[in-house]
């Protein structure tokens, strides 16, 4: 049997030490779930394969291991807790049966089915009536308010009937007929039949604290008084049922599954939660949140909403438990929930707990996720721990790539300027990045923006442009041409001497005598284009032409529909199946990333190409 905790070595041509040619179907399935523990469908096939094999071979140990491994990833799958308990029951390991049930109801505490199975098994095996009732009461306290809790109530009532404890039966009917569920009216019908049974006394229909209902002289009058109270309470409960039926009818999948919920069901959960919050009955609010966190367990918004609701009520420990449960058990690979947990702990003054959460996130949950690193750095900055923030930046730069590198570099350089008071350190960061990612234009643009916030702008920015368009530059020809365009625009706006601008124009014409052959721009002249002196409409058409024929330059100068921005550049950044969302745009920190943020030349852009 494959080791269900073994590392994946399929890429090496083997699985668990076996050459690929010798792999069985079970080995193949095991290798898949080892590589991707969240592959629910393959897990299901693997479990089915082992269960089938266990029919003819002694594979109890293998089944235990696979149930353990599967449920560590999907603890909300109550049916597999039941399967495991049944396996131990078959092996007559009764203590183990109870242990598995206990683990199951702790993992998925709002499973009516699992509680009902547990209570039924325990009631059949135990002779301790007090212990049986205690277990039933535990179950009712957890899921008795569930809309579909009828199975559990049925088992509890059946147990008390088997003991002929008629007062207990009557009390259960009283409780269930005052609880809004899918079967409230059915239970009331059962109670009416129960009360009308020949030989049933009025005393058997009430609890000890309802002696006032027994003040009438005859048993029939006593029963009449009792039933009037029960009917009145039932009528009020029916109103509670009616106002919830619309929401309950739209819950198509109340149990956990890896398949996503459609938007209609998600909206129904949102609306239902809002409804219960407005009603304000805490027990029902908590119950609905817990139900939601089963059906919609894969949606972090509901974990965060529940934690926020508890925090706003002042229940800090409750909010902490929800965030811990979500991030440590059910969504342990979701970085955004870990981030919110860290922020929560920091807001409560638990600095070390926040740091531990951040460290776990960037080292284990999502190594390489730049936003997580930045969040961790900002946390250390708020703690005045700048040395550790620098170390985090430096370590992240060692492993970053050309996709995330520009954002990290921009953020680090800005950090150096604002918090280390070292512009030189910021330049060092950019220069190192340009050497490491010599084909990345975005770092060049960010460096230009960085220098534009300082002094001696013309010489420093010109030096960056010269470095990027020179013969040693490894940028693509299109990128170089775009930078040439920006360089010309920059000098047009910032040069102190017209001669500097004219010299650059001459160099540009020499480098690109016919830009149209570069597939980027058709050469235009002011003399050949009367639109320069014409209407605003013609000037607008000129800009449209530039956007159509100059996609790179137009984007950089802001004239195209898709003007360059770091938000666009990073819009597609994701980490595995758990997309954290786009990396924040550097422009969001108060500075545009491209030179296009400066005043545009409009139609005058074509002044860069004087007649020859």
């Amino acid at each position: 049997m494959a080791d269900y905790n073994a590392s994946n070595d399929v890429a090496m041509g083997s699985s668990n030490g076996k050459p690929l040619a010798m792999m069985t179907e079970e080995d193949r399935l095991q290798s898949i779930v080892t590589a991707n523990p969240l592959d629910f469908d393959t897990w299901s096939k693997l479990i089915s394969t082992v269960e089938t094999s266990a029919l003819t071979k002694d594979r109890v140990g293998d089944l235990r291991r696979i149930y353990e491994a599967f449920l560590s990833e999907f603890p909300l799958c109550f049916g597999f807790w039941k399967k495991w308990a049944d396996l131990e029951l078959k092996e007559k390991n009764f203590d183990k049966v109870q242990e598995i049930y206990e683990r199951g109801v702790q993992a998925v505490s709002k499973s009516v089915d699992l509680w009902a199975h547990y209570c039924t098994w325990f009631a059949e095996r135990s002779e301790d009536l007090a212990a049986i009732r205690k277990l039933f009461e535990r179950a009712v306290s957890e899921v008795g308010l569930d809309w579909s809790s009828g199975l559990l109530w049925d088992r509890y009532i059946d147990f008390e009937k088997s003991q002929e404890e008629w007062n207990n039966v009557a009390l259960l009917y009283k409780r269930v007929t005052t609880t809004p569920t899918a079967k409230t009216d059915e239970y009331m019908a059962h109670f009416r039949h129960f009360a009308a049974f020949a030989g049933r006394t009025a005393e058997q229909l009430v609890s000890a604290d309802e002696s006032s209902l027994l003040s009438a002289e005859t048993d029939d009058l006593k029963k009449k008084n009792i039933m009037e109270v029960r009917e009145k309470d039932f009528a009020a409960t029916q109103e509670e049922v009616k106002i919830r039926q619309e929401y309950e009818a739209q819950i198509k999948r109340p149990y956990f599954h890896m398949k996503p919920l459609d938007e209609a069901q998600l909206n129904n959960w949102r609306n239902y939660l809002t409804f219960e919050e407005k009603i304000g009955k805490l027990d029902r609010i908590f119950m609905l949140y817990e139900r939601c966190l089963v059906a919609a367990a894969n949606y972090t918004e509901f974990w965060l909403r529940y934690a926020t609701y508890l925090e706003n009520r002042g229940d800090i420990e409750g909010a902490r438990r929800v965030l811990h449960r979500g991030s440590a058990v059910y969504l342990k690979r979701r970085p955004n929930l870990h981030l919110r947990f860290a922020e929560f702990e920091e807001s409560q003054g638990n600095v070390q707990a926040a740091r531990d959460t951040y460290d776990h996130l960037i080292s284990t949950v999502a190594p390489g996720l730049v936003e997580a690193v930045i969040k961790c750095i900002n946390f250390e900055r708020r703690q005045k721990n700048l040395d550790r923030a620098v170390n985090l930046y430096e370590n992240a730069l060692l492993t970053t790539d050309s996709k995330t590198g520009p954002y990290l570099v921009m953020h680090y350089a800005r950090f150096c300027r604002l918090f280390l008071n070292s512009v030189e350190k910021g330049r060092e960061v950019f220069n190192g990045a340009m050497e490491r990612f010599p084909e990345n234009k975005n770092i060049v643009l960010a460096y230009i923006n960085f220098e534009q916030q300082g002094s001696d702008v013309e010489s420093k920015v010109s030096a960056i442009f010269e470095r990027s368009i020179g013969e040693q530059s490894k940028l693509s020809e299109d990128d170089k041409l775009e930078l040439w365009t920006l360089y010309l625009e920059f000098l047009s706006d910032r040069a102190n001497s017209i001669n500097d601008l004219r010299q650059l124009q001459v160099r540009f014409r020499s480098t690109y005598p016919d830009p149209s052959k570069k597939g980027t721009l058709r050469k235009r002249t002011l003399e050949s284009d009367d639109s320069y002196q014409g209407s605003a409409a013609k000037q607008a058409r000129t800009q449209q032409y530039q956007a159509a024929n100059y996609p790179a330059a137009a984007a950089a100068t802001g004239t195209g529909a898709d003007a360059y921005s770091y938000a666009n550049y990073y819009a597609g950044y994701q980490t595995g199946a758990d997309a954290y969302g786009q990396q924040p745009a550097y422009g969001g920190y108060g500075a545009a990333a491209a030179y296009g943020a400066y005043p545009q030349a409009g139609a005058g852009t074509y002044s860069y190409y004087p007649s020859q």
Side-chain angles (χ1 to χ4, degrees):
M1 177 65 186
D3 180 359
Y4 291 101
N5 293 313
S7 61
N8 178 43
D9 54 5
V10 176
M12 302 299 293
S14 65
S15 175
N16 299 311
K18 295 183 181 180
L20 291 176
M22 297 177 60
M23 288 176 64
T24 65
E25 175 64 7
E26 184 179 326
D27 292 328
R28 186 187 70 82
L29 294 172
Q30 168 58 42
S31 67
I32 294 173
V33 298
T34 303
N36 180 13
L38 297 181
D39 189 337
F40 186 88
D41 291 339
T42 301
W43 269 113
S44 298
K45 293 175 183 177
L46 176 60
I47 292 172
S48 178
T49 299
V50 178
E51 287 175 339
T52 300
S53 175
L55 295 176
T56 58
K57 301 178 182 178
D58 182 10
R59 303 198 63 183
V60 174
D62 293 337
L63 274 175
R64 287 186 181 124
R65 284 191 291 274
I66 195 172
Y67 286 143
E68 185 78 62
F70 172 79
L71 289 168
S72 70
E73 298 294 340
F74 306 104
L76 293 175
C77 292
F78 72 89
F80 288 90
W81 290 108
K82 175 65 166 55
K83 281 189 172 187
W84 193 354
D86 288 345
L87 172 69
E88 300 300 346
L89 181 60
K90 182 179 178 181
E91 296 297 313
K92 302 185 185 305
N93 295 323
F94 300 121
D95 290 343
K96 191 71 173 179
V97 174
Q98 186 163 7
E99 176 191 328
I100 299 305
Y101 272 127
E102 280 293 334
R103 288 180 58 188
V105 296
Q106 290 177 36
V108 53
S109 62
K110 303 307 175 185
S111 172
V112 174
D113 295 80
L114 193 59
W115 275 111
H117 287 305
Y118 183 15
C119 291
T120 301
W121 169 79
F122 191 74
E124 291 174 349
R125 177 176 178 273
S126 176
E127 296 181 357
D128 187 341
L129 299 183
I132 295 171
R133 291 189 175 102
K134 183 178 180 180
L135 184 61
F136 269 117
E137 284 300 320
R138 275 182 61 199
V140 167
S141 69
E142 290 288 349
V143 297
L145 294 179
D146 193 295
W147 185 258
S148 301
S149 58
L151 178 62
L152 177 63
W153 287 108
D154 288 344
R155 300 289 174 85
Y156 198 176
I157 291 170
D158 287 344
F159 166 74
E160 292 295 359
K161 284 182 177 179
S162 71
Q163 302 302 311
E164 297 185 359
E165 292 288 350
W166 307 124
N167 286 97
N168 290 348
V169 173
L171 181 57
L172 288 175
Y173 275 128
K174 175 188 175 183
R175 293 167 67 183
V176 78
T177 55
T178 54
T179 301
T181 70
K183 295 177 61 176
T184 303
D185 55 347
E186 183 179 327
Y187 284 121
M188 191 61 198
H190 289 171
F191 177 64
R192 293 184 187 116
H193 179 75
F194 172 80
F197 183 76
R200 188 81 65 222
T201 65
E203 285 74 9
Q204 293 174 334
L205 301 179
V206 295
S207 59
D209 60 353
E210 294 181 303
S211 58
S212 61
L213 296 177
L214 302 175
S215 59
E217 295 182 358
T218 67
D219 195 69
D220 287 343
L221 288 176
K222 293 175 183 177
K223 283 187 177 181
K224 181 181 178 181
N225 291 340
I226 293 169
M227 294 306 297
E228 285 178 352
V229 172
R230 297 291 187 262
E231 293 287 356
K232 181 180 179 180
D233 292 342
F234 168 69
T237 304
Q238 280 297 83
E239 293 303 314
E240 296 287 314
V241 169
K242 290 177 182 178
I243 61 177
R244 291 174 173 83
Q245 280 179 327
E246 178 183 352
Y247 298 110
E248 292 291 345
Q250 296 183 61
I251 299 176
K252 307 301 182 184
R253 196 185 75 193
Y255 53 87
F256 169 81
H257 201 283
M258 284 295 289
K259 292 181 180 179
L261 293 168
D262 59 45
E263 193 61 28
Q265 291 188 72
L266 292 173
N267 281 332
N268 184 61
W269 280 114
R270 296 175 187 124
N271 295 336
Y272 199 176
L273 287 167
T274 300
F275 165 80
E276 289 291 4
E277 287 171 350
K278 288 181 179 179
I279 296 296
K281 295 182 178 179
L282 291 181
D283 56 350
R284 300 209 66 86
I285 293 171
F286 297 152
M287 182 67 209
L288 188 62
Y289 266 115
E290 293 293 344
R291 288 176 62 196
C292 177
L293 291 183
V294 173
N298 282 329
Y299 294 84
T300 55
E301 67 166 286
F302 295 109
W303 291 93
L304 296 177
R305 175 171 175 163
Y306 192 13
T308 301
Y309 175 80
L310 293 171
E311 184 179 5
N312 290 342
R313 291 192 68 253
D315 186 359
I316 302 303
E317 283 305 314
R320 178 175 286 113
R321 285 193 297 270
V322 169
L323 291 170
H324 179 266
R325 179 157 49 110
S327 61
V329 181
Y330 300 105
L331 299 178
K332 54 190 175 184
R333 293 182 176 85
R334 299 289 180 90
N336 46 355
L337 194 57
H338 289 268
L339 285 172
R340 288 295 296 272
F341 194 14
E343 291 170 357
F344 169 83
E345 291 292 12
E346 183 184 0
S347 72
Q348 299 303 317
N350 298 322
V351 173
Q352 190 56 49
R355 179 174 288 119
D356 291 344
T357 302
Y358 277 122
D359 288 347
H360 176 65
L361 172 61
I362 63 178
S363 65
T364 304
V365 177
L369 180 60
V370 173
E371 179 146 2
V373 174
I374 296 300
K375 292 278 190 179
C376 185
I377 288 169
N378 282 330
F379 161 76
E380 295 295 352
R381 174 183 58 77
R382 290 190 293 271
Q383 309 312 313
K384 312 301 182 184
N385 196 350
L386 299 185
D387 289 342
R388 190 163 194 270
V390 169
N391 288 336
L392 287 167
Y393 272 125
E394 295 290 348
N395 290 335
L397 283 172
L398 294 176
T399 58
T400 193
D401 56 26
S402 59
K403 183 177 181 181
T404 59
Y407 173 69
L408 187 62
V409 167
M410 286 184 285
H411 206 285
Y412 190 11
R414 179 177 179 275
F415 175 87
C416 293
R417 166 172 264 150
L418 295 180
F419 303 107
L420 300 183
N421 297 317
S422 176
V423 174
E424 285 303 318
K425 177 62 177 178
R427 292 190 181 109
E428 179 184 321
V429 171
F430 273 118
N431 287 325
M434 288 180 68
E435 292 179 5
R436 182 175 175 188
F437 306 112
E439 299 177 354
N440 196 305
K441 173 194 65 179
N442 305 303
I443 292 176
V444 176
L445 295 173
Y447 195 2
I448 290 170
N449 179 73
F450 178 83
E451 290 294 5
Q452 287 179 146
Q453 300 173 48
S455 59
D456 194 16
V457 173
E458 182 181 346
S459 65
K460 289 184 172 63
V461 171
S462 294
I464 299 171
F465 274 124
E466 292 290 346
R467 176 179 175 182
S468 303
I469 62 178
E471 293 182 358
Q472 300 301 316
S473 173
K474 294 185 180 180
L475 294 173
S476 69
E477 288 302 316
D478 280 349
D479 286 346
K480 286 183 180 179
L481 181 53
E482 180 181 340
L483 289 172
W484 265 106
T485 305
L486 292 173
Y487 192 8
L488 287 163
E489 183 181 345
F490 170 77
L491 281 189
S492 178
D493 290 342
R494 302 296 294 264
N496 293 318
S497 169
I498 188 62
N499 291 330
D500 292 341
L501 175 60
R502 289 176 64 82
Q503 289 174 10
L504 187 63
Q505 291 171 343
V506 171
R507 287 175 55 201
F508 177 73
R509 289 197 304 270
S510 175
T511 305
Y512 298 104
D514 186 0
S516 64
K517 292 183 179 180
K518 295 297 180 181
T520 311
L521 182 67
R522 194 184 77 181
K523 181 174 66 175
R524 299 282 299 261
T525 67
L526 295 179
E527 289 78 359
S528 65
D529 185 6
D530 60 0
S531 67
Y532 184 72
Q533 301 295 333
S535 67
K538 284 191 174 182
Q539 292 189 36
R541 286 197 295 273
T542 300
Q543 288 185 327
Q544 292 173 3
Y545 178 87
Q546 183 185 15
N549 295 278
Y550 262 93
T557 56
T559 58
D562 294 321
Y564 175 84
S565 73
Y566 281 96
N568 290 335
Y569 181 72
Y570 286 108
Y573 183 79
Q574 297 180 331
T575 299
D578 179 31
Y580 185 77
Q582 74 178 43
Q583 299 284 2
Y586 184 66
Y589 291 93
Y595 180 70
Y598 282 78
Q600 303 304 308
T605 300
Y606 296 107
S607 64
Y608 301 150
Y609 313 104
S611 59
Q612 299 177 9

